[in-house]
Structure formats: structure tokens, C-alpha cells
Amino acid sequence: MQFMLLFSRQGKLRLQKWYVPLSDKERKKISRDLVQTILARKPKMCSFLEWRDLKIVYKRYASLYFCCAVEDQDNELITLEIIHRYVELLDKYFGSVCELDIIFNFEKAYFILDEFLLGGEAQETSKKNVLKAIEQADLLQEVRLLTDP
Amino acid sequence: MPAPIRLRELIRTIRTARTQAEEREMIQKECAAIRSSFREEDNTYRCRNVAKLLYMHMLGYPAHFGQLECLKLIASQKFTDKRIGYLGAMLLLDERQDVHLLMTNCIKNDLNHSTQYVQGLALCTLGCMGSSEMCRDLAGEVEKLLKTSNSYLRKKAALCAVHVIRKVPELMEMFLPATKNLLSEKNHGVLHTSVVLLTEMCERSPDMLLHFRKVCLLVPQLVRILKNLIMSGYSPEHDVSGISDPFLQVRILRLLRILGRSDDDSSEAMNDILAQVATNTETSKNVGNAILYETVLTIMDIKSESGLRVLAINILGRFLLNNDKNIRYVALTSLLKTVQTDHNAVQRHRSTIVDCLKDLDVSIKRRAMELSFALVNGNNIRGMMKELLYFLDSCDPEFKADCASGVFLAAEKYAPSKRWHIDTIMRVLTTAGSYVRDDSVPNLIQLITNSVEMHAYTVQRLYKALLDDISQQPLVQVSSWCIGEYGDLLVSGQCEEEEPIQVTEDEVLDVLEGLLVSNLSTPVTRGYSLTAIMKLSTRFSSVNRIKKVVSIYSSSIDVELQQRAVEYNALFKKYDHMRPALLERMPIMEKTASNGPTEIMQTNGETEPSVPDTKHLPLVTQPANQANDLLDLLGGNDVVPVIQTTLPTKPASAGGELLDLLGDLSLSGGLAPAPSVPVSQPPFLLDGLSSQPLFNDTSAAIPPMTAYSKNGLKIEFTFERANPNPNIAVITIHATNTTEADMTEFVFQAAVPKTFQLQLLSPSSNIVPALNQGSVTQVIRVLNPQKQQLRMRVKLTYTHKGSPVQDLAEVNNFPPQSWQ
């Protein structure tokens, strides 16, 4: 995966995870253009499109669009499953997740994503294990000071 | 200083802003507060401030002043700080800035931290955005972690290694030992990431691929794991809609693909498991189809047996019928990849593919179109073309150009009949005429020219199409060209293929003139129609009307039109005798690769002066085997043989027959195209030398003779022997005029019997002045290798007192010395 974007129906970015080195300016441009393109698509259209020389996979969950740019050799159908898994994780963590949860707890959304994907690939295929890791890490935040190595 | 506001509170506040300006104001205020807080080196609230900064950054505001603060957070001993710090680094830093290198040491320390979640943060950051320098520095640490027994860390290290290899491919070798027992892990996370790592290594290095295939025997291991996944019972932890760990299954299938590619043994070893997956996977949900999709891709890419391949294509065929458009999309993409290699198998699904042309989704339509064109062959051309033309009618503009080109190509390859071909072209031109590519116009013209028996039908249909619609330029251009060429067929009302229409010359000219004045016509189109009108001057009788049109355009603002009109005018006035020959039917054209539109314009039966080379080339091209029979006019660059006969009724053959004054004196046959129109006085090759003998010949002079004398025109021959070749007789003709009027446009032509060769050089002028005030001289060189009796036939044309005169004569009274 090259990047993942989450954005609302009004085109506001809620999360952006980049797995390829690009400048801030380039990222902004890509986000803007891609968001426009996807928002222009009709509901009956399929979840895949070719955009610039990227394969784009996107799915809409309630008021949020989840959009990934994948490589040529990547399986688009399994990418849809990856997106779905991430939504499930968020849902489990926040309890019936909605857009507001992600707005107000964006850093947690990132932490969850970083426990599920690393470098654009899935690192853990068990829902339980991802959530367990997040739970433990959250507990660690309560500890005042970590012991030195 | 009061404590900086909390993150959630800031978010709430900013969201209350009603305008962009209000939001900007809030942001600026908060940024100022954060900046001063950073300046105070406040450890307690740094984390909160950076978090707020990250939020504002996501809204699109600049946050670079927080970069160093992220580094400070990473170095902190509080987990919360580290978490936010690493997140900030991933969002705000990129490898182009040197700042990120300051992270390296922190990451190194954290990779060795006692808490696995800290190690995890470091691995994640490195694996997400590590630059090549960082990767080089830290690869060793990653490799160490790849060997740990802690599966939480091992899986992350594997993906981090993937990133390192992508950034610094030379480091791949060092990870090899650690991969040895990766696949014996039970933990799915480790298995999944290990397969990704192995895939990356195999894709990048053929040596690695061989090593894994032959030495490590990876294929059997993978097959075993995959089998376990499928056969094992329900595992709640990894289950997705009844399928056990689909993510892992897909990655294994993908690695198998790479291992099995171009390797028979490996392909055979995975044959069974692929068949099993293909037949047993549940297809009701997307998960199952994702696995089937990957399986199909693998089957098609390895050296699978034909039964398996057919199975794969049938899966794709079923995908095409799936209600889920994503599945259909994926099927069409895969079929497009396999259509070349498994053509027949894909053909079976042709009707489903053609149905997808009617899908609402743009991507699906495009793929279906590409696939349809790939499936067209001689057997299904009629049916397929019907569907494709229907598609062309109704599709979005973005498809029309490609579809039109595809139709032309397919029609050219597989047209069952010429009539069908022409009809198909007509259909494309009338429905998608403005989207047709520019280079189609000359290709179509060439095609039409070569379908000789369809000319009448074609021109009639094109004419009717023009009556309906003159907005589509390629259609208009092709139509005007055809009307110009075959206008006579159009008005004559002969048409075998369909009911001939009754149309008069004036109506046709009305249409063509309409094109000239219409706003819809481009300059190129106008050029086409003007030329067409001109061509009709030799095919229609309403010449005066045409003359009028042409002269109007000689003052056109459009330079191209003006030039053409001026030249056509010249054709009417000064070179009227050449006009029929120049505007004759085009011969069948050879299709050359470089035949662009401009070339067609030049060989259009008339001439453009932009072909200066012809001044030095033989005017009339000559098939070599006819050299002895025909009039050889080499060298005379402004003498254009003209046939004052009725228009040829058959199109000229490819070679073009030349003026043949011998034998049965058949004067039919067309000229090969492109003699140049003399626009200025021809340069005299023998300027000033016309009355001088060409060669110094001191041998006995041959007496001159009168070759022709009639109606006041007298032509005398004088002789020289050419040195050094005694077989060449050099004859100079002297033409004089005893009448009171000049003889203008005087042209002398000669022909000799088979055994001779003749060369005619430029005449001194075209005007034989009246009352013997001067003469026209011209040199003839005759090669007589067999020393036969010299005989000659001459043809004279000139204008005298306003009327053209033509005469033919035989010259037999050559003195014996001239040929012995």
C-alpha cells in the first residue's frame, strides 16, 4: 500500500497515512485531487479505479470514505477486506464507532492503524491480538516513567 | 502561564468556527501559544501541544515548527511522549529533510528497549518512513529482532526488514539466515509478515528465488501451511465469514505464483492445492472471491496444466455473472491479461463480456471494450461489430476515439465483404465522426480508392450523409474527397448496391460550396472541398460555375485556400490543356507506413509547387520494360505530354501508361500523377545555345531535312553525330512560322520505333513567332545501336489565333547518313 486516506463527505481529511516519501506539498495536492475524484463518483460505481498511475480502492462507511492506493500486484478484493478489518477494529475499540470518535480521538485511530498495518502491509491478522496490543499500550500510558533500557 | 488547553477542547473549539476566517484566527492564536510554550522548554505539556499541532496540521495548517519537538518527545522516557513523538515524526518529518536523521539514535535505543511496546513504536516508525541512511545504520538491529522468539516483535521486524530491503536492496543478503525458520512459526502474524518478506526477496533477486525454491524447498512448506488453513476447523481468532485467515491465504498464493513461474517442478507441486482452493472456496462473500481471484492469477501465471487453466477461466466467467460489480471488474481485468494466451477459453465467455459493455460503471465499460476488441475474429466479426457499433453510439465521449480506432482496425482485419467494410466505416463516421483520429482520414480514403467496385455506392452514401450533417470533420473530409473523385458516378445515377439517388451537378456543387462557407468547417476541410470542386471541373459540365468559385477564393484570407485557388485558376487559364490529365482519377494507392494526410493532399491528381525535386527528376515515371516502346521524355522538365482525348473511363493502373504514339496509336490510359505545374518560365538547359551544335563534329556533315511543313508551320531537322558515341544521332529541330499570327503554347513530341531510344531536351521556347521572325529549336538525341533505318512520328500542338491545333505526322525522309 502506498497511502491510506480517510475523509468525510465534505472532503475534510480525518486521517492520512503515507507509506511513500513525499513532501507535504505533494501530499496535499494528491489528497485534494483524489478526494475530489472519489467524491464525484456515483454510488453505483465499483470500488476500484485507476487514477494517475495508481490503483485506488475505496469504500464508504456511513459518512466516512476509506481510500487506499495500492500497487499493481496487489489484490484489490483483499484490500477491501483490509479496509473492513480496520473499521471493525475501530468499532471494537470505540464501541460502535462514528466519525466524531475519529475526529476527537484521531491519535488513537493512528495508533490502532499502526498496530494493524506496518509499512503498508498487514502485520497482524488476528483481530484479538491487535486489540490486545492496543489495550496494553494504553495501560502503559498511565505509568509515570518507563524503566531505562 | 496557564496550562495549555487540552487537545479535545481545542478540537471542540475549532469546530465551532463558522467561517474559514474564524477558524484561521483560532488556529493562529493557538499556534502562538504553542510556540511560546515550546520556547519555554516545557516538558509537562509538550506532548499535549504537539498533539494539538498534529490536529491543526491535518486541517491543512503549517506545523513545521513542531518537528524538533517531536524529536524531544521521542527521547523522553514517558510512553505517552514517545507515542505522540513517533506519530508526529511520521506525520511531520520526511526523509528529504536532514532533521529526520536526528531520530536515528533514539530509534536505535528504543529498538533495544526493555518494553516491547516501545520497541514496537521504533520498528513501526522505521518501517514506515526510514530513509536509506537510517536503514543502513539500523539494519543490524532489525536483523537481530527478526530472530527473537517474541512473536510480537518478530512480525514487526519482518515488515521493517521489507522496508529496509526496498530502500537499500544490497542489504537483502544479511536477512537471509534469519528467514530459515520463519515459516515454522505458529503465530499467524509472524507467518503473514514472513511470507511478505520472502515475497519481497524473491521478487527482487532471481538468485534468492532459486535459493528458496531449490535449497529451502519453500513450495512444499507453503503448500502444507495453506492446506492446514483450509482443512483445519473453525478458528475464531482468524475467521472471516467462515474462511480461516484469508489474508494469509492470499499472500501464500501470491508467493506460490512467484515460485511456480517458469518452473515445472514447483508448478506441479502446487497443482493439487490450487485445484482444491479453486473448487472448495466459498463464493458468497467478498472474502472467498478475493482468494479465488488470487488463485486464478496464480494458475494463469505458473506452468499449470490445461485442465487447471480452464478451471481458472471458468471461475472468471462466473465472476462476470456476479452481481457485485467489483467482482466483475476484477474478472474483466484478469481476462484481459489472459486473452492472448488462452484465447479460445476466453471466447466462450464472449457474450457475457459483450453484455458488460452496457454496464453503468466506466471502468467496467472500458475493460469490456478492450476485451471485446481482443476477442474479435473472422468468425464473430459481424455479431461483435453490431454490438461494438451500438456501444460506440451510446458511450461516453472519452471512449469514442479508442472505440472508433478499434472498429477500423478490426474491420480492416476481418471484413467479410467490401460492402460491409464500407458500411461499417460509414456508420463510424456518422455516429462518432468528430472523435475519429486524424490519421484515419487518409487510411479511409485509401481503402475507398481500392474498393473499385464500390465507388458509386460509397460516394452516394457519403453524399447522403453530408446532406444530414456537416459538423463532423473527418466525415466531411472523406466525403468531399470522394465526391471530388467520383462525382460523375454520383450524378450519373448508377449504383448497383442500392437505389441510386437522383442528384444534379448543381446540387452537388451547392453542397461542396456550402462546406466552404460553413462556420463548422475547419481550414483543412475547406481545402478538401475546394480541391473536390476543382476536380469536378473535369467530371461535370458546369465548368463556368466552378471557375467562378475558384476565382473567388483566390483572394481568400486563408493562405492555403488562396494558394490553391490561384493555382487552380492558373490551371484554367494557362494550362487548360493539362487540366484533364492532372485531375484524373486516382490510381489504386499503395499503402505506405508514412502515408500521412499531407501526402494524400499532394498526390491528389493536381500538383503543389512544394515538390521542387521533380524539376530534376523525370517528369513521367516509366516502367522499365516499356522504355523502348514509349515516348521517352527524360530531361524535358517543362514538357508535359498532354492527351487531348476523352476522359479515361477506367482508373489508371499502378504503373501508369505513358503516351504511346506507336503501333495502334492508342491514346487512352492515364498518366502517373504529380507532374509539376510550371509556375514560372522553365530554365533553359541549353539557353543561348539552341542554334549551336551540341558537339564538335568535324566528320562529314549530314544534310538537313524538312521534317514537316503544313499550315504555315515548318520544322527542319539538322544533324550532328555525337562524340564519342557514333550510335547517337543528335538532331536539332527548327520550327518556323510563316503565318501572321504567333503560334503559342507550341509543343513538339516525337516517338521512335522499338529498337531506338530517344531523348528530347528542352525547347528554346513555346512560341513560334509569326512571319519567320524567329524559331523554336529543340534537341533530340536518338540512340540507334542496331543501325536501323531511322523513322519517327511527331506530334505537334499549338495555339494559333486563339484556337488549339494538333497534328500528327510521320517522318521517313531521314538521310541515310543519319542512321548508318
Side-chain angles (χ1 to χ4, degrees):
Chain A
M1 196 182 295
Q2 297 206 8
F3 59 82
M4 181 191 281
L5 303 174
L6 265 69
F7 53 91
S8 70
R9 272 216 57 82
Q10 287 76 41
K12 284 199 113 97
L13 264 185
R14 299 301 179 204
L15 186 145
Q16 46 169 333
K17 188 74 189 178
W18 296 84
Y19 295 108
V20 285
L22 288 167
S23 72
D24 216 29
K25 205 166 123 187
E26 287 165 320
R27 290 179 187 183
K28 275 207 174 113
K29 181 141 198 342
I30 292 177
S31 306
R32 206 176 33 235
D33 292 345
L34 183 55
V35 167
Q36 299 273 30
T37 309
I38 293 181
L39 287 177
R41 281 170 78 83
K42 302 192 196 69
K44 288 268 186 229
M45 297 174 100
C46 78
S47 298
F48 314 131
L49 69 142
E50 271 125 28
W51 183 82
R52 303 215 183 145
D53 44 353
L54 294 168
K55 277 211 295 199
I56 305 287
V57 180
Y58 74 96
K59 193 150 184 219
R60 184 173 155 199
Y61 287 85
S63 59
L64 267 183
Y65 283 87
F66 287 70
C67 168
C68 303
V70 294
E71 258 92 26
D72 247 353
Q73 327 90 291
D74 286 330
N75 181 328
E76 295 98 320
L77 297 178
I78 208 73
T79 309
L80 281 175
E81 292 300 318
I82 299 246
I83 293 177
H84 191 73
R85 173 58 64 90
Y86 181 48
V87 174
E88 284 180 323
L89 289 167
L90 290 169
D91 193 60
K92 210 54 197 269
Y93 182 83
F94 288 109
S96 285
V97 68
C98 64
E99 192 184 345
L100 276 178
D101 292 316
I102 298 181
I103 295 171
F104 279 93
N105 302 286
F106 70 94
E107 83 278 16
K108 301 243 171 71
Y110 275 108
F111 297 151
I112 296 171
L113 186 61
D114 285 341
E115 275 304 323
F116 175 41
L117 302 178
L118 198 156
E121 306 281 352
Q123 57 179 289
E124 181 56 69
T125 56
S126 151
K127 232 188 316 192
K128 188 177 88 179
N129 286 349
V130 176
L131 291 166
K132 200 163 71 179
I134 293 284
E135 218 178 300
Q136 301 280 21
D138 283 348
L139 281 174
L140 213 47
Q141 291 205 186
E142 309 300 320
V143 173
R144 283 192 62 81
L145 267 177
L146 302 159
T147 54
D148 281 339
Chain B
M1 175 148 196
I5 67 169
R6 293 177 174 278
L7 171 65
R8 323 272 173 234
E9 211 183 301
L10 176 68
I11 297 176
R12 205 169 297 127
T13 313
I14 292 178
R15 283 173 64 81
T16 61
R18 271 161 300 171
T19 63
Q20 186 75 11
E22 217 181 308
E23 183 184 279
R24 209 175 306 134
E25 211 185 298
M26 293 178 186
I27 302 268
Q28 273 169 351
K29 193 165 138 211
E30 186 57 36
C31 277
I34 292 176
R35 257 191 249 248
S36 39
S37 186
F38 284 163
R39 269 195 297 269
E40 285 169 24
E41 296 285 339
D42 188 323
N43 289 338
T44 331
Y45 295 114
R46 186 178 285 124
C47 177
R48 184 185 291 184
N49 284 329
V50 170
K52 286 187 286 186
L53 203 54
L54 292 179
Y55 177 74
M56 294 189 286
H57 176 255
M58 184 140 67
L59 291 178
Y61 296 94
H64 43 271
F65 58 90
Q67 287 170 359
L68 278 172
E69 303 300 314
C70 293
L71 295 176
K72 291 179 198 165
L73 284 175
I74 291 172
S76 158
Q77 282 312 308
K78 282 171 72 178
F79 186 66
T80 323
D81 285 357
K82 283 192 190 288
R83 247 185 162 182
I84 296 287
Y86 276 118
L87 179 62
M90 285 191 274
L91 287 175
L92 299 181
L93 294 173
D94 74 77
E95 61 174 52
R96 292 143 199 244
Q97 299 156 334
D98 290 332
V99 178
H100 81 281
L101 287 170
L102 298 171
M103 266 201 296
T104 314
N105 216 37
C106 281
I107 294 186
K108 186 167 189 184
N109 291 337
D110 284 344
L111 283 173
N112 292 304
H113 206 275
S114 53
T115 313
Q116 71 175 17
Y117 296 106
V118 174
Q119 288 172 296
L121 285 175
L123 281 168
C124 181
T125 308
L126 183 59
C128 172
M129 59 164 296
S131 65
S132 327
E133 298 97 325
M134 282 170 71
C135 287
R136 256 183 244 272
D137 288 340
L138 301 169
E141 305 297 326
V142 177
E143 198 260 342
K144 226 166 44 185
L145 288 169
L146 193 51
K147 295 192 282 217
T148 177
S149 54
N150 180 336
S151 49
Y152 177 79
L153 292 174
R154 209 170 185 200
K155 71 188 187 198
K156 289 182 195 271
L159 288 182
C160 198
V162 171
H163 180 84
V164 168
I165 291 173
R166 283 184 185 156
K167 283 293 197 192
V168 192
E170 308 89 74
L171 292 175
M172 199 184 338
E173 294 276 333
M174 74 183 286
F175 293 108
L176 186 56
T179 61
K180 255 193 201 23
N181 55 355
L182 274 177
L183 290 185
S184 40
E185 267 270 3
K186 294 274 182 250
N187 179 293
H188 280 223
V190 177
L191 278 175
H192 186 271
T193 58
S194 305
V195 172
V196 174
L197 176 58
L198 292 167
T199 308
E200 186 70 28
M201 291 167 96
C202 288
E203 274 179 336
R204 278 186 184 267
S205 159
D207 290 329
M208 284 286 187
L209 175 60
L210 254 126
H211 175 87
F212 283 124
R213 207 190 258 150
K214 303 288 178 207
V215 178
C216 303
L217 302 171
L218 214 49
V219 176
Q221 285 185 64
L222 292 168
V223 170
R224 188 179 36 87
I225 299 173
L226 192 51
K227 207 167 191 155
N228 281 341
L229 280 174
I230 302 172
M231 307 295 264
S232 67
Y234 178 72
S235 149
E237 198 176 330
H238 301 107
D239 180 271
V240 180
S241 306
I243 296 181
S244 188
D245 206 338
F247 304 107
L248 183 55
Q249 288 195 39
V250 164
R251 284 320 294 235
I252 291 178
L253 286 163
R254 187 161 146 186
L255 182 52
L256 284 175
R257 179 153 81 242
I258 295 167
L259 291 167
R261 213 179 261 161
S262 31
D263 186 78
D264 290 322
D265 291 331
S266 303
S267 302
E268 208 191 305
M270 57 182 83
N271 200 67
D272 287 345
I273 192 68
L274 289 174
Q276 202 176 351
V277 175
T279 39
N280 291 343
T281 308
E282 183 65 48
T283 60
S284 55
K285 289 262 174 76
N286 184 58
V287 229
N289 289 320
I291 294 175
L292 280 178
Y293 177 40
E294 198 72 35
T295 312
V296 166
L297 289 176
T298 301
I299 292 175
M300 300 314 292
D301 217 9
I302 63 172
K303 298 202 160 236
S304 47
E305 49 170 53
S306 61
L308 203 53
R309 290 181 93 83
V310 171
L311 180 61
I313 299 214
N314 288 345
I315 290 176
L316 292 178
R318 277 204 309 277
F319 273 7
L320 281 180
L321 299 167
N322 196 306
N323 285 330
D324 186 344
K325 61 188 89 59
N326 294 332
I327 311 272
R328 290 205 299 277
Y329 176 94
V330 143
L332 287 170
T333 312
S334 316
L335 284 170
L336 203 50
K337 285 190 212 147
T338 66
V339 72
Q340 302 304 330
T341 46
D342 295 82
H343 192 91
N344 291 332
V346 180
Q347 279 282 1
R348 270 182 235 127
H349 303 280
R350 195 178 65 240
S351 51
T352 326
I353 293 169
V354 166
D355 281 341
C356 289
L357 284 172
K358 306 190 184 96
D359 203 294
L360 291 166
D361 186 298
V362 166
S363 316
I364 290 184
K365 273 203 277 224
R366 177 166 283 281
R367 273 164 177 67
M369 180 182 85
E370 286 172 24
L371 203 45
S372 300
F373 279 122
L375 288 175
V376 171
N377 63 27
N379 293 329
N380 59 33
I381 177 77
R382 281 185 195 267
M384 287 297 275
M385 200 50 84
K386 215 160 61 158
E387 296 286 344
L388 288 165
L389 287 172
Y390 180 72
F391 174 69
L392 183 62
D393 279 343
S394 51
C395 70
D396 296 329
E398 58 186 288
F399 289 120
K400 294 215 189 213
D402 290 331
C403 191
S405 303
V407 168
F408 286 146
L409 255 144
E412 209 174 307
K413 274 204 266 194
Y414 302 112
S417 74
K418 288 221 156 125
R419 159 100 190 241
W420 181 94
H421 198 169
I422 304 263
D423 282 343
T424 307
I425 292 174
M426 287 289 314
R427 177 86 182 267
V428 175
L429 284 178
T430 46
T431 54
S434 28
Y435 298 97
V436 159
R437 294 215 169 89
D438 289 339
D439 61 357
S440 318
V441 173
N443 287 341
L444 292 175
I445 287 177
Q446 192 249 343
L447 188 68
I448 290 171
T449 318
N450 294 348
S451 317
V452 173
E453 63 280 11
M454 305 295 302
H455 285 167
Y457 171 70
T458 310
V459 70
Q460 185 164 293
R461 287 212 57 193
L462 286 171
Y463 177 77
K464 283 200 271 194
L466 262 195
L467 290 177
D468 276 333
D469 172 19
I470 60 167
S471 64
Q472 305 192 86
Q473 299 307 294
L475 171 64
V476 174
Q477 288 168 11
V478 175
S479 305
S480 347
W481 192 92
C482 284
I483 294 175
E485 272 295 294
Y486 312 121
D488 48 317
L489 297 176
L490 184 60
V491 297
S492 69
Q494 328 159 336
C495 181
E496 286 159 12
E497 300 282 341
E498 65 171 22
E499 187 69 37
I501 58 170
Q502 307 301 326
V503 60
T504 65
E505 292 183 1
D506 277 318
E507 284 170 334
V508 174
L509 287 172
D510 284 341
V511 169
L512 288 175
E513 282 188 54
L515 294 175
L516 276 175
V517 301
S518 166
N519 285 333
L520 297 166
S521 301
T522 63
V524 172
T525 307
R526 292 209 179 92
Y528 268 97
S529 73
L530 186 61
T531 304
I533 291 176
M534 186 59 193
K535 282 203 248 180
L536 290 174
S537 71
T538 50
R539 293 159 175 70
F540 282 2
S541 50
S542 21
V543 182
N544 286 325
R545 178 173 173 181
I546 294 173
K547 273 194 195 166
K548 245 192 273 183
V549 175
V550 165
S551 55
I552 290 173
Y553 279 90
S554 53
S555 46
S556 162
I557 302 175
D558 182 328
V559 176
E560 174 70 25
L561 275 184
Q562 192 192 108
Q563 178 165 21
R564 285 183 195 218
V566 164
E567 285 171 15
Y568 297 160
N569 249 338
L571 211 51
F572 274 123
K573 297 213 167 79
K574 275 172 59 177
Y575 301 103
D576 203 43
H577 54 284
M578 292 192 219
R579 190 166 46 90
L582 291 174
L583 299 179
E584 237 168 52
R585 274 270 202 280
M586 287 297 287
I588 295 179
M589 298 180 219
E590 292 278 311
K591 189 170 182 134
T592 61
S594 56
N595 227 359
T598 49
E599 273 184 35
I600 291 285
M601 296 306 283
Q602 286 179 356
T603 55
N604 216 356
E606 34 45 285
T607 62
E608 311 285 350
S610 56
V611 191
D613 302 300
T614 57
K615 285 214 160 65
H616 308 292
L617 291 175
L619 262 189
V620 181
T621 60
Q622 216 178 46
N625 57 359
Q626 293 179 317
N628 289 333
D629 296 338
L630 306 173
L631 185 61
D632 181 342
L633 295 179
L634 287 172
N637 65 343
D638 58 343
V639 174
V640 177
V642 170
I643 307 169
Q644 293 279 18
T645 56
T646 56
L647 291 175
T649 49
K650 60 170 165 59
S653 60
E657 280 182 305
L658 303 173
L659 189 57
D660 183 357
L661 295 180
L662 299 174
D664 46 0
L665 266 184
S666 57
L667 292 176
S668 61
L671 283 175
S676 59
V677 171
V679 217
S680 54
Q681 273 297 309
F684 300 117
L685 288 181
L686 305 169
D687 206 357
L689 297 177
S690 45
S691 51
Q692 305 274 338
L694 280 175
F695 301 96
N696 262 336
D697 194 350
T698 54
S699 61
I702 306 163
M705 58 175 269
T706 302
Y708 175 93
S709 178
K710 207 160 146 194
N711 294 333
L713 176 64
K714 180 166 150 199
I715 297 185
E716 252 193 300
F717 284 4
T718 56
F719 301 91
E720 307 296 324
R721 270 256 182 258
N723 248 345
N725 191 342
N727 289 334
I728 296 181
V730 180
I731 307 171
T732 306
I733 69 155
H734 306 258
T736 48
N737 172 7
T738 54
T739 69
E740 322 103 47
D742 288 350
M743 290 169 179
T744 57
E745 287 160 341
F746 176 84
V747 175
F748 172 94
Q749 288 163 103
V752 286
K754 275 195 188 34
T755 53
F756 296 81
Q757 277 188 40
L758 185 136
Q759 185 185 17
L760 205 53
L761 304 181
S762 290
S764 58
S765 93
N766 297 65
I767 302 175
V768 191
L771 300 171
N772 288 337
Q773 283 169 45
S775 65
V776 168
T777 55
Q778 194 165 6
V779 174
I780 307 171
R781 297 167 59 143
V782 182
L783 176 65
N784 183 6
Q786 294 179 29
K787 295 226 185 277
Q788 297 202 347
Q789 182 181 15
L790 182 55
R791 279 165 43 225
M792 197 185 278
R793 224 178 234 186
V794 298
K795 180 175 170 186
L796 307 159
T797 53
Y798 54 92
T799 305
H800 189 237
K801 292 181 182 167
S803 20
V805 179
Q806 178 192 295
D807 201 13
L808 290 158
E810 285 218 69
V811 182
N812 291 321
N813 53 335
F814 285 95
Q817 299 97 310
S818 65
W819 46 269
Q820 271 170 349

